[in-house]
Amino acid sequence: MSIRVRFAPSPTGNVHIGNIRAAIFNWLFARHLGGAFLLRVEDTDRERSTPEAIRTLLDVMAWLGLTYDEAPVYQSAQRARHLAAAEELVRQGHAFRENKEGKGECIVFRMPKEGKVEYHDLVKGPIRKKAEDTQDFVIVRSDGNPVFHLANVLDDIDMRITHIIRGDDHVENTFKHIQIFRAMGVEPPQYAHLPMIVNAMGKPYSKRDGAAFVGEFRDQGFLPEALFNFLALLGWAPGEDREMLTRDEMVAAFTLDRCKSSAARFDIKKLTWMNGEYIRHLPLALFAAEFETRVRAGGWWRDELPVAERVGIMALVQPRTKFFAEIPGNCAYFFHEEYPFDAKSLEKRLHGPGVPELLEAVVAHFATLPVFDHAATEAALRAMGDERGVGLGGMVHPVRVAVSGLSDGPGLFELLVLLGRERVANRLLRVATRLRAGSL
Ligand code: GLU
């Protein structure tokens, strides 16, 4: 039997990470087994499934490299087929018409009245329910529209889907779905319900917890490879504590028996770390393009900056960039002498007594160095720190804030060397003067 799986989202304009996680699992499953990964757009809600919403969905899939193997199926186009099947179910006694007072006629599917309804979930194990705890349900509304359960199952039959991998919010629906399959004379596919994605409190992860839509991560400068890798681990463990995996490695390792049934915690710190790792390994040309775009958008870019210096800046910034949106905010001082000062850093590191004198002493000491390199600047600050009893840290922090306006950044000595002795001296002297004048 050839494996056929599908991603069946209902486009709403934004693609939630929980949804795209299901797409990723289906895609990996299909690629691992050499099966087909299909897309079915469940677009029956005409108000939400606008052409724009569908475009967003297709864009996100392309961005993440979620390639599908056949033309997408649009559920709304199958309406006539859904209604015809509902009639057939009525004819065969699996469903009946019901006239709700004043509301018109709907079609109701019959659930079994005795015994059990059960299925074996490939992630959650056996799932069952007593028939008496199930209820007949509407499959065609009185307004003539087929409901989700009917459309979903019929499309899965028509697309010859062998495995349904989706979020566990559908566990309950599956009792209904397998009965429709059987009533249609089709053996139900295999099911794998993926664990819920939860926040730090164990509650379903939602937009209230932070970025929840794929587009938001893209805008913040998360790389598709990193987001893909991170989402693949929400409910799946490749073993041996492996975390950073190439797409080929994920495809090779992906099996449903390594999927977990317990809730998957969305840990933004981990995603940020992982994205930083992916950015660090990005070829310089790719990093450079994104870097320039972001610095330009931030208004800091200077075309006249020599290429060598630009490359030097990127060599310092790339290894410590966690997501691209950080970039303009932490790069101004590379490009301009008028760089902003972070208020907290200013208060903590530069507003103490004796700071202007200290910065001036550094300038004087730097002027005596035979070469202005990493080793020499470090030795200079260390010696001065020892002499003053403040240690290296007591020197590094004020100097860093003075030359960059920020408390964090690349290694200070690399930064000093990149800026060069003269620029460093000018910056330190200027800050000292402004501090004395109370204008900083
Ligand atoms: N449109 C449904 C959803 O997005 C489909 C679920 C499924 O069967 O995969 O939740």
Side-chain angles (χ1 to χ4, degrees):
M1 172 188 69
S2 65
I3 303 289
R4 290 170 66 84
V5 293
R6 86 304 192 268
F7 173 43
S10 313
T12 58
N14 279 310
V15 185
H16 191 277
I17 46 160
N19 265 325
I20 211 73
R21 190 264 317 245
I24 288 174
F25 279 49
N26 276 287
W27 187 91
L28 287 171
F29 181 75
R31 293 293 171 263
H32 178 82
L33 293 170
F37 170 73
L38 312 180
L39 171 62
R40 179 171 75 241
V41 183
E42 300 209 329
D43 59 346
T44 51
D45 179 343
R46 287 314 187 87
E47 297 216 332
R48 310 220 298 164
S49 297
T50 59
E52 177 69 35
I54 293 171
R55 207 167 322 118
T56 302
L57 168 73
L58 299 180
D59 274 359
V60 158
M61 291 185 69
W63 183 67
L64 284 166
L66 291 165
T67 45
Y68 35 86
D69 300 312
E70 292 174 13
V73 169
Y74 288 87
Q75 187 159 71
S76 59
Q78 319 303 321
R79 188 186 145 91
R81 146 82 170 141
H82 300 155
L83 293 175
E87 291 299 332
E88 186 57 31
L89 289 171
V90 173
R91 256 194 303 280
Q92 298 194 358
H94 295 297
F96 57 92
R97 287 180 208 285
E98 192 175 72
N99 209 321
K100 293 237 170 76
E101 333 70 72
K103 285 201 184 148
E105 201 175 67
C106 60
I107 299 180
V108 178
F109 186 82
R110 280 185 221 281
M111 286 295 274
K113 300 291 172 289
E114 51 195 42
K116 283 184 293 231
V117 186
E118 57 190 326
Y119 62 98
H120 185 86
D121 191 282
L122 295 172
V123 173
K124 293 183 179 288
I127 297 189
R128 60 177 72 89
K129 208 175 190 178
K130 284 196 213 122
E132 65 207 56
D133 294 333
T134 68
Q135 276 176 350
D136 296 349
F137 59 97
V138 174
I139 50 176
V140 179
R141 285 194 205 91
S142 50
D143 63 7
N145 285 321
V147 303
F148 159 71
H149 306 296
L150 181 70
N152 183 269
V153 169
L154 289 170
D155 290 349
D156 282 332
I157 292 174
D158 293 345
M159 293 167 77
R160 305 191 318 283
I161 299 304
T162 58
H163 295 74
I164 292 183
I165 305 170
R166 61 184 176 187
D168 67 4
D169 47 327
H170 288 290
V171 163
E172 276 293 312
N173 291 335
T174 301
F175 292 117
K176 298 185 171 78
H177 295 186
I178 54 178
Q179 292 307 118
I180 302 180
F181 273 104
R182 290 186 181 129
M184 294 294 298
V186 176
E187 188 54 30
Q190 305 255 39
Y191 287 92
H193 285 102
L194 307 174
M196 190 177 285
I197 299 177
V198 296
N199 64 16
M201 331 285 283
K203 296 274 179 297
Y205 187 87
S206 80
K207 57 178 188 255
R208 282 184 298 281
D209 297 305
F213 301 124
V214 178
E216 295 175 272
F217 291 99
R218 177 167 58 181
D219 294 346
Q220 287 176 23
F222 284 86
L223 292 171
E225 297 77 15
L227 190 62
F228 187 111
N229 190 160
F230 172 78
L231 292 174
L233 299 180
L234 290 184
W236 172 64
E240 297 150 20
D241 288 334
R242 284 193 294 165
E243 296 209 304
M244 298 276 300
L245 291 94
T246 64
R247 199 157 296 202
D248 285 347
E249 287 167 343
M250 286 185 257
V251 167
F254 190 87
T255 53
L256 288 174
D257 59 9
R258 289 201 151 275
C259 290
K260 296 176 284 188
S261 58
S262 53
R265 195 165 73 81
F266 185 90
D267 179 356
I268 184 71
K269 283 211 192 84
K270 179 167 168 183
L271 169 59
T272 308
W273 164 78
M274 198 172 252
N275 199 54
E277 291 297 301
Y278 275 88
I279 290 181
R280 206 151 62 78
H281 291 104
L282 212 57
L284 182 64
L286 291 183
F287 181 79
E290 188 67 35
F291 180 76
E292 183 174 333
T293 306
R294 299 272 174 176
V295 177
R296 276 187 193 282
W300 301 113
W301 189 258
R302 272 175 48 213
D303 276 323
E304 65 277 16
L305 207 69
V307 172
E309 187 160 338
R310 222 182 275 172
V311 171
I313 296 171
M314 287 189 294
L316 292 189
V317 175
Q318 181 170 4
R320 51 190 339 282
T321 300
K322 299 281 181 262
F323 50 93
F324 288 118
E326 297 179 309
I327 283 179
N330 60 13
C331 287
Y333 62 93
F334 286 116
F335 295 89
H336 292 271
E337 296 311 300
E338 292 289 337
Y339 42 90
F341 283 79
D342 167 59
K344 271 201 196 122
S345 311
L346 189 62
E347 183 58 36
K348 187 161 178 207
R349 303 297 183 190
L350 297 183
H351 277 173
V355 175
E357 293 73 25
L358 179 117
L359 299 178
E360 285 163 353
V362 171
V363 175
H365 198 139
F366 279 175
T368 67
L369 301 176
V371 283
F372 193 73
D373 63 7
H374 185 130
T377 51
E378 177 169 359
L381 292 191
R382 195 178 290 282
M384 292 181 72
D386 287 348
E387 201 182 301
R388 288 158 195 258
V390 296
L392 183 60
M395 302 302 298
V396 160
H397 298 305
V399 170
R400 175 190 289 286
V401 177
V403 299
S404 72
L406 302 172
S407 294
D408 299 311
L412 178 65
F413 308 110
E414 282 97 350
L415 174 59
L416 295 177
V417 174
L418 178 86
L419 292 171
R421 183 166 6 208
E422 199 186 321
R423 242 194 301 175
V424 168
N426 290 340
R427 289 184 182 194
L428 294 178
L429 293 176
R430 196 151 161 267
V431 169
T433 307
R434 291 180 64 190
L435 288 173
R436 268 208 199 88
S439 63
L440 189 64

